[in-house]
Structures are given as C-alpha cells and as structure tokens.
Amino acid sequence: MRVLVLHGPNLNLLGSREPAIYGTTTLPEIDRSLASLGASLGASVECRQSNHEGVLLDWVHQAAESFDGLLVNFGALSHSSLALADALRAVPLPCVEVHLSNIHGREPFRQLTHTGAAALGLVSGFGPDSYLLGLRGLVDHLGRQR
Ligand code: DQA
C-alpha cells in the first residue's frame, strides 16, 4: 500500500506558527511519525508540502500513477479551493482529509471544507494525531478494498 500525504499552505511553518492553535510539533516530525506508523501498518508513506495550489493540483492528478490513497491537509485551501475538491473527485483514489485544529469549533469560514466534502472521511481536532488517525482510517479502508 502506498500513501501520498499532501500538506498545503503554511503547514511548513508548523512548530512556530500560532502554537496555541497548532502546537509545537514541526512538519518533519509529523512526516517521520507518519512514515513510522505506515511501516508498522504495512504502508509506504511519501509526504510533500506546497504553498501553491497548482502544485497541489498536479500532485493530486498524478497520484494514481504511483499511489493507492491520499491523506491531505490543504490548510486554508480546504475552505476555498473548488479546484482541489474537483481534483479529488476526478482521481480514482480514496482520500482522507485531516486538520490539526477542530475546524468546526473555529471561525465560521473554517467550518466549510470543500475538499473535505470530496473526501472519504475527515479527522479534525487532535493535533498531530489527526494525521495518524487519518492514516489508520485510510489504510484500514484500503485493506478492505483488496
Ligand atoms: C488547518 C485549519 C485551516 O483552517 C488553516 O487554514 C490551516 C490549518 C488545520 O490543520 O487545523 O492552515 O488545516
């Protein structure tokens, strides 16, 4: 099983970015914990981050060539990008969306996620553990598909 993890805008700043909301864990630390959990679940995990919507779109489009599933946190683009939501619907891969913060407990504009609506499922509010919970859910789903 091969999982592509996509992190969107500003997530490269994790660790120092609004720590009261996002905590102090850095993105490389999250990526390492995903690789380690993936290995224990029998899944290879590749993590990428971009601040550019077009780059994220290209990665989603190409994902089916090399991966079985997507784990995504598109950051603020979750709330605004119809293009990324359409891309998720256009590719034949299951996708789980995660958020560090509980988007439903925050400002109204964060409570709608276009990309989350196109995902298989969504985990929100558990800090870095949202990624690990999301990966478990995705790998379980992929296992059931086999
Ligand atoms: C976020 C929530 C978004 O609203 C915000 O724009 C982010 C991070 C999260 O992981 O909690 O960049 O996706």
Side-chain angles (χ1 to χ4, degrees):
M1 267 180 235
R2 301 154 304 171
V3 173
L4 177 61
V5 179
L6 295 181
H7 307 285
N10 300 312
L11 292 167
N12 54 311
L13 301 179
L14 285 180
S16 58
R17 173 193 182 196
E18 298 186 89
I21 297 174
Y22 299 117
T24 54
T25 306
T26 65
L27 197 60
E29 287 169 342
I30 289 174
D31 289 348
R32 278 195 292 277
S33 66
L34 283 168
S36 156
L37 176 63
S40 75
L41 298 175
S44 68
V45 175
E46 181 172 325
C47 301
R48 302 178 190 167
Q49 187 274 334
S50 178
N51 292 318
H52 305 280
E53 186 175 12
V55 172
L56 294 164
L57 280 166
D58 289 342
W59 286 340
V60 172
H61 293 174
Q62 294 153 9
E65 293 164 20
S66 314
F67 298 95
D68 303 303
L70 289 165
L71 183 71
V72 303
N73 180 355
F74 289 128
L77 290 173
S78 317
H79 316 300
S80 64
S81 179
L82 296 175
L84 280 168
D86 280 350
L88 293 180
R89 292 192 175 95
V91 300
L93 293 183
C95 173
V96 171
E97 176 165 301
V98 303
H99 295 280
L100 296 140
S101 61
N102 176 2
I103 56 172
H104 295 289
R106 300 185 63 192
E107 304 96 320
F109 65 84
R110 292 188 205 275
Q111 295 179 18
L112 172 68
T113 163
H114 295 295
T115 49
L120 170 71
L122 199 147
V123 182
S124 182
F126 295 95
D129 284 349
S130 290
Y131 282 94
L132 302 178
L133 293 164
L135 181 62
R136 282 184 189 279
L138 179 60
V139 169
D140 282 355
H141 175 82
L142 290 171
R144 284 193 296 273
Q145 280 189 328
R146 294 199 156 192

